[in-house]
Amino acid sequence: MEEAGAAGSAVPGDGAPGKGRPLQPPAKGRELFRSQRKESEGSVDCPSVEFEYGDADGYAAELSELYSYTEEPEFTINRKCFEEDFQTQVQGKRWPELDLAQQKAYVMRLLDGLEVVNRDKRLKAARAVLYLAQGVFGECDMEAEVLHWSRHNNFLLYQMGTFSAFLELLNMEIDNSQACSSALRKPPISLADSTELRVLLSVMYLMVENIRVEPEADPPEWKSSRETFRTELSFPVHSEEPFALLLFTMVAKFCSGHAPHFPMKKVLLLLWKVLLFTLGGFEALQAMKTKKREELGLPPLPEDSIQVMRCMRAASPPTYTIELLDQQSSKRGHRSRRPLVKQDSLDIYNERDPFKNDEAGVDEEENDDIDSGIEGELDLMERDVIIQAGPAQRPPIERVSFPKGLPWAPKVRQKDIEHFLEASRNKFIGFTLGQDTDTLVGLPRPIHESVKTLKQHKYVSISDVQIKNEEELEKCPMSLGEEEVQETPCEMLYRAMLYNLPQYVIALLKILLAAAPTSKAKTDSINILADVLPEEMPITVLQSMKLGVDVNRHKEIIVKSISASLLLLLKHFKLNHIYQFEYVSQHLVFANCIPLILKFFNQNIMSYITAKNSISVLDYPHCTVHELPELTAESLEAGDNNQFCWRNLFSCINLLRLLNKLTKWKHSRTMMLVVFKSAPILKRALKVKQAMMQLYVLKLLKIQTKYLGRQWRKSNMKTMSAIYQKVRHRMNDDWAYGNDIDARPWDFQAEECTLRANIEAFNSRRYDKSQDSEFAPVDNCLQSVLGQRLELPEDFHYSYELWLEREVFSQPIRWEELLHYQ
């Protein structure tokens, strides 16, 4: 981990002009200083990132990410296939000139062409359908026109049954053993190996994405089609599995090595959009959560998390080495090298023992050094009084616009109240009353007030109710009867995924590892570039640069789709039933998801957020209606004009949310964060001045603070202040001091084992419908039992006499034993 961190922190283009020559450290620490300078440059004056988190990027951006730049020539091929067929059927007319009946008639003819035996003819018909789904760009002059016709045509294609026809073709291609074997025999896999699959998946993706997006101006028949399509994908009629399961199977098959030609980027994008469409996005989740709390009789939610985070302002990142050097050189030059050894931004190199609270070697001078950067803390705390000289105050307009007070309502669990009362009773009375939180006899008045305050902020989650119900069902299976399980899209998906879920989780994490920018290419790793590499490799420098941008973009899109899919699954499973969420979470942890995410963040995160791996003139739909200019090295390097890369910031926030979900209230997994030395990695992620991303980083730092020791807390007071200001307060949580650590290392194994036993009991009770259960009804009627026909093996009559002799006649009958049972 440490080696990866050292290698991943280097930033290209280090010696940028205009940077002041920093204070030179002694030769002994120069190498260390150089790596720290690389890490800190670019973050000193990092502007706030204007980013709005949502279910997905803009409509056009999501469509453009479906295509690699190496697929650009195929737009022309699709158009040619359509126009050749269209001119034979409808002479002298253009597609926009046809009325709806004529368009439907032509689509029916194209669908007939998908059923011919000849593979090439089928592919041509599929390409013509793809051209329609892409928006008949040959008839358009503007990008908006292409997108308009794309939506119109995709609704038309769905209404004519195109999705079902393409689903049959996709099943045929997945089972095409000839394509699999030829791909296995041919090591350099390229675009040509996945042509049919890419055409089919592109049409299905365009249909799902166009129908999923819901503007208010849609006509009623489109809204009706949308609901029908959602139901069709969620509750399959013809097959016994949801469509998402087919895509999960493709991912698992690809990672097992049996189908290396599968175009993984398209499969993962389609999987993400199908989950988003069928299960619902973040707003739908919030509405479902509110409705479920009402059904369970729980009080409403205190706030909408995403709305609160949108109103939050980013904090200034902690001070790093280069800034500290400037500050200390102005204060006292002869001590300027002390922070190089002690400052926490070097934790990656000299991480202390997290359980060691030894303060030897810390003196007042170092504390002065750390406190010298307090002006950055003023932004966090919004103080009205300047404690020491620093930059000028912010304009009053900004101060007024930022709400005073904490952004979150405090929360208290039932368990917190019980622990508080148990400690109070032990102290003042000398005995406890178990889980009784109402009896306060004998306790002093301040304890009464404390309990009252705790109960005012008590929060009962849906998960608490589900766990309690599950315990009752386990204790009283006969009296409580059969559980009524609501058939939701989420429940259907979990039931379908259940028995192969470990394989699906491992496959997704394998691909995520291969796509991470910190991963090194290995000969034995899976090849995720099968659907981006051309048949003929580039021969010029310009072509190589273009392919390099394409490959990086390809990996970023894969990371985006996997992180979003995993987060959606966890959030929906948690709402549906807590043990479904815990089952997926445990398999993610067992498959090393926690170190994998930390490995992802162990890079220069600012470089990743601001990466320009895009060529805007080659993006769909721009490339279909404009003449492509001659590409030069300058135009390739320029990228777009955005301040940051939307998909990369979206991926980072998703992965941080994923990490939070895996570790929340799990001491064993929190210890994994400590053991893998996540604190310096996460602290570097605070450089990105975006409120939502910073919040999830601070949450992860908060849960492990008590294990990091006093020295770490003293050295990171800005981070501690940011946690106090940004993260929700738990009233009894001793996170900042660690005097009462909740769980000891020897309890961690038991914690995971108990959770696993509960999950297995839940899955067995709800999904194993075997008749071997001890509660299964028993037929005790003699006539009924003897009248049953038993299936006997074919060779039974050969060994029947031998069996009678050995098991019946040769065994003495002990009649006297019957007397013992009277």
Side-chain angles (χ1 to χ4, degrees):
M1 226 22 178
E2 292 179 357
E3 290 176 9
S9 62
V11 188
D14 177 37
K19 299 276 182 187
R21 186 177 176 83
L23 184 68
Q24 287 295 320
K28 185 178 178 182
R30 199 161 289 160
E31 286 303 315
L32 199 57
F33 174 78
R34 191 174 292 120
S35 64
Q36 275 303 101
R37 179 168 173 262
K38 286 182 179 182
E39 180 189 337
S40 60
E41 279 195 60
S43 68
V44 179
D45 298 316
C46 171
S48 293
V49 177
E50 299 297 326
F51 170 80
E52 188 167 318
Y53 185 78
D55 292 324
D57 202 349
Y59 170 57
E62 291 295 339
L63 293 184
S64 72
E65 288 182 354
L66 177 64
Y67 310 104
S68 301
Y69 295 144
T70 45
E71 291 181 272
E72 181 204 334
E74 297 192 16
F75 285 113
T76 310
I77 299 172
N78 298 339
R79 179 180 177 180
K80 187 179 177 183
C81 289
F82 172 81
E83 288 177 349
E84 283 177 0
D85 185 75
F86 188 70
Q87 291 306 321
T88 59
Q89 305 299 328
V90 188
Q91 295 181 352
K93 282 194 175 182
R94 297 161 62 239
W95 175 261
E97 295 170 359
L98 301 183
D99 59 31
L100 191 60
Q102 290 173 314
Q103 289 178 348
K104 285 183 176 181
Y106 179 69
V107 170
M108 284 301 295
R109 290 189 62 85
L110 278 181
L111 295 182
D112 290 341
L114 295 174
E115 297 179 5
V116 298
V117 179
N118 188 296
R119 188 179 175 85
D120 292 334
K121 287 182 179 178
R122 276 208 314 268
L123 179 60
K124 283 186 176 181
R127 282 193 181 281
V129 173
L130 176 55
Y131 177 71
L132 283 175
Q134 287 170 339
V136 289
F137 48 81
E139 313 291 339
C140 304
D141 299 320
M142 297 167 59
E143 293 174 36
E145 210 177 338
V146 176
L147 297 176
H148 163 76
W149 280 109
S150 180
R151 272 182 69 75
H152 169 86
N153 292 346
N154 277 291
F155 274 99
L156 175 65
L157 289 169
Y158 171 69
Q159 290 161 2
M160 300 304 295
T162 308
F163 192 85
S164 302
F166 271 70
L167 183 55
E168 289 180 19
L169 291 174
L170 182 62
N171 277 306
M172 284 171 55
E173 284 299 325
I174 291 170
D175 298 332
N176 187 349
S177 57
Q178 185 180 352
C180 293
S181 58
S182 64
L184 287 168
R185 285 196 306 270
K186 175 191 167 192
I189 300 172
S190 66
L191 280 168
D193 296 293
S194 58
T195 303
E196 288 85 357
L197 278 169
R198 283 187 295 107
V199 170
L200 298 175
L201 290 166
S202 294
V203 171
M204 297 171 100
Y205 177 86
L206 288 168
M207 290 177 71
V208 169
E209 182 63 6
N210 277 284
I211 296 174
R212 180 189 72 82
V213 176
E214 191 171 356
E216 294 179 4
D218 278 358
E221 60 269 18
W222 282 14
K223 292 180 180 178
S224 173
S225 294
R226 180 177 295 115
E227 291 309 312
T228 309
F229 193 25
R230 182 185 280 121
T231 306
E232 182 184 327
L233 292 173
S234 309
F235 306 101
V237 180
H238 304 297
S239 62
E240 296 180 359
E241 58 187 31
F243 178 58
L245 192 73
L246 178 66
L247 300 173
F248 273 117
T249 308
M250 288 184 74
V251 173
K253 196 173 179 183
F254 171 80
C255 285
S256 67
H258 298 306
H261 66 297
F262 281 1
M264 252 320 100
K265 185 187 83 173
K266 284 182 168 53
V267 173
L268 291 167
L269 278 173
L270 181 55
L271 173 61
W272 169 36
K273 291 306 169 67
V274 167
L275 293 175
L276 192 57
F277 186 30
T278 55
L279 303 182
F282 299 127
E283 287 185 12
L285 260 167
Q286 192 72 10
M288 289 157 65
K289 201 172 183 180
T290 304
K291 184 182 175 186
K292 194 152 192 172
R293 289 186 70 84
E294 286 177 9
E295 290 171 358
L296 295 173
L298 297 174
L301 290 164
E303 68 271 305
D304 182 342
S305 301
I306 291 181
Q307 291 303 323
V308 172
M309 282 182 270
R310 282 175 180 165
C311 298
M312 289 173 73
R313 199 179 72 185
S316 297
T319 311
Y320 285 86
T321 309
I322 192 167
E323 298 166 286
L324 284 170
L325 282 172
D326 294 339
Q327 291 168 3
Q328 283 141 18
S329 63
S330 62
K331 285 180 66 176
R332 47 185 191 278
H334 66 283
R335 294 182 195 164
S336 60
R337 67 178 178 179
R338 288 184 61 82
L340 284 173
V341 181
K342 295 288 186 183
Q343 188 60 26
D344 183 63
S345 53
L346 301 186
D347 276 356
I348 192 75
Y349 301 103
N350 63 344
E351 185 75 9
R352 293 177 182 272
D353 182 356
F355 294 102
K356 188 177 176 184
N357 288 335
D358 185 16
E359 297 179 58
V362 181
D363 54 18
E364 292 177 2
E365 291 179 359
E366 185 187 348
N367 291 340
D368 290 344
D369 295 345
I370 293 162
D371 292 339
S372 65
I374 202 166
E375 58 266 23
E377 206 170 317
L378 297 174
D379 292 343
L380 297 178
M381 303 305 292
E382 285 293 327
R383 296 177 183 172
D384 295 322
V385 180
I386 300 296
I387 298 173
Q388 91 179 47
Q393 293 186 26
R394 294 180 178 275
I397 301 165
E398 285 189 34
R399 295 174 67 84
V400 171
S401 66
F402 186 74
K404 296 289 182 184
L406 299 170
W408 307 101
K411 281 183 181 178
V412 178
R413 296 181 299 168
Q414 174 71 16
K415 193 160 63 168
D416 297 332
I417 302 175
E418 290 169 9
H419 286 173
F420 176 73
L421 277 170
E422 184 180 355
S424 301
R425 285 169 182 150
N426 271 326
K427 181 178 179 181
F428 293 104
I429 304 174
F431 63 89
T432 60
L433 297 175
Q435 296 180 338
D436 184 352
T437 58
D438 297 319
T439 306
L440 302 177
V441 177
L443 295 173
R445 194 72 197 161
I447 300 297
H448 289 231
E449 294 296 325
S450 299
V451 173
K452 180 183 175 184
T453 306
L454 289 173
K455 285 184 175 178
Q456 280 177 351
H457 295 285
K458 180 182 170 184
Y459 176 77
V460 181
S461 67
I462 295 170
S463 303
D464 295 336
V465 177
Q466 290 170 340
I467 290 171
K468 191 176 178 182
N469 290 344
E470 193 61 30
E471 287 172 357
E472 291 175 359
L473 282 165
E474 285 292 325
K475 285 178 187 174
C476 316
M478 299 295 286
S479 57
L480 293 177
E482 191 75 19
E483 181 190 16
E484 289 185 18
V485 181
Q486 191 176 355
E487 288 295 307
T488 61
C490 189
E491 181 66 30
M492 291 283 290
L493 181 62
Y494 182 79
R495 189 182 300 137
M497 289 177 66
L498 179 61
Y499 296 107
N500 290 318
L501 195 139
Q503 289 92 306
Y504 301 147
V505 166
I506 290 169
L508 286 173
L509 293 184
K510 268 187 179 179
I511 299 171
L512 184 60
L513 175 62
T518 50
S519 294
K520 294 174 183 175
K522 293 180 183 176
T523 51
D524 57 345
S525 63
I526 52 174
N527 179 16
I528 58 169
L529 304 177
D531 51 333
V532 71
L533 296 176
E535 279 190 280
E536 296 179 3
M537 292 305 285
I539 53 173
T540 67
V541 175
L542 197 64
Q543 288 174 342
S544 299
M545 287 177 67
K546 179 184 167 186
L547 183 60
V549 170
D550 206 1
V551 166
N552 289 336
R553 175 177 176 267
H554 183 82
K555 288 182 176 181
E556 290 171 2
I557 294 168
I558 286 176
V559 172
K560 171 187 173 183
S561 54
I562 292 177
S563 64
S565 299
L566 286 174
L567 182 63
L568 271 177
L569 282 174
L570 284 184
K571 286 188 77 67
H572 276 281
F573 284 154
K574 188 172 185 180
L575 184 60
N576 200 50
H577 199 287
I578 182 62
Y579 284 136
Q580 294 177 349
F581 162 81
E582 296 290 7
Y583 186 53
V584 181
S585 296
Q586 269 209 336
H587 280 294
L588 282 167
V589 173
F590 295 159
N592 282 332
C593 184
I594 291 175
L596 169 55
I597 295 176
L598 293 175
K599 179 182 171 68
F600 179 89
F601 280 97
N602 197 16
Q603 58 172 310
N604 189 308
I605 208 69
M606 278 304 299
S607 297
Y608 188 70
I609 296 294
T610 56
K612 303 286 186 185
N613 290 314
S614 61
I615 307 168
S616 52
V617 293
L618 296 181
D619 283 339
Y620 170 89
H622 183 278
C623 65
T624 59
V625 291
H626 295 100
E627 287 290 329
L628 294 181
E630 187 177 348
L631 293 176
T632 61
E634 289 74 20
S635 62
L636 288 178
E637 287 177 347
D640 52 35
N641 297 319
N642 294 330
Q643 178 194 7
F644 59 92
C645 177
W646 196 96
R647 65 173 164 266
N648 288 355
L649 189 46
F650 178 71
S651 301
C652 288
I653 292 174
N654 287 341
L655 290 172
L656 287 168
R657 295 185 76 184
L658 207 57
L659 204 50
N660 269 287
K661 289 210 164 293
L662 295 179
T663 53
K664 189 176 182 182
W665 304 121
K666 305 285 192 305
H667 300 297
S668 57
R669 299 174 192 175
T670 304
M671 282 307 302
M672 288 180 75
L673 293 178
V674 178
V675 169
F676 288 120
K677 300 185 179 180
S678 66
I681 296 171
L682 292 168
K683 257 191 72 179
R684 284 202 299 272
L686 288 174
K687 291 180 188 179
V688 182
K689 288 188 70 175
Q690 202 281 325
M692 192 172 189
M693 182 167 169
Q694 285 184 344
L695 175 70
Y696 286 113
V697 172
L698 293 171
K699 279 185 172 187
L700 289 166
L701 287 170
K702 178 185 175 181
I703 61 174
Q704 55 178 316
T705 300
K706 65 176 75 173
Y707 302 109
L708 295 174
R710 285 183 64 188
Q711 172 54 38
W712 188 91
R713 295 194 290 272
K714 285 176 70 177
S715 303
N716 292 274
M717 288 311 296
K718 283 191 177 183
T719 306
M720 302 288 282
S721 299
I723 292 171
Y724 269 114
Q725 187 200 20
K726 303 283 183 187
V727 183
R728 188 192 303 276
H729 284 247
R730 301 271 175 179
M731 290 190 174
N732 285 10
D733 191 359
D734 192 25
W735 67 272
Y737 302 99
N739 294 325
D740 180 24
I741 293 180
D742 298 344
R744 298 292 171 185
W746 51 83
D747 296 329
F748 295 158
Q749 194 76 25
E751 182 186 56
E752 288 288 350
C753 289
T754 305
L755 179 61
R756 191 171 191 177
N758 291 338
I759 294 166
E760 286 176 355
F762 163 76
N763 284 334
S764 176
R765 182 189 60 75
R766 189 183 274 197
Y767 302 108
D768 289 349
K769 300 298 182 186
S770 60
Q771 292 301 312
D772 300 331
S773 168
E774 56 184 304
F775 301 113
V778 177
D779 186 357
N780 53 12
C781 174
L782 185 64
Q783 285 183 327
S784 171
V785 171
L786 292 178
Q788 289 178 1
R789 290 185 60 84
L790 294 175
E791 291 292 331
L792 299 172
E794 293 181 6
D795 59 344
F796 177 75
H797 63 279
Y798 296 121
S799 56
Y800 176 59
E801 292 180 359
L802 182 63
W803 178 81
L804 273 177
E805 183 65 37
R806 189 177 64 223
E807 300 293 335
V808 181
F809 300 144
S810 64
Q811 297 291 336
I813 299 172
R814 299 183 180 87
W815 298 104
E816 67 277 5
E817 287 186 7
L818 291 173
L819 299 173
H820 297 301
Y821 298 104
Q822 290 182 353

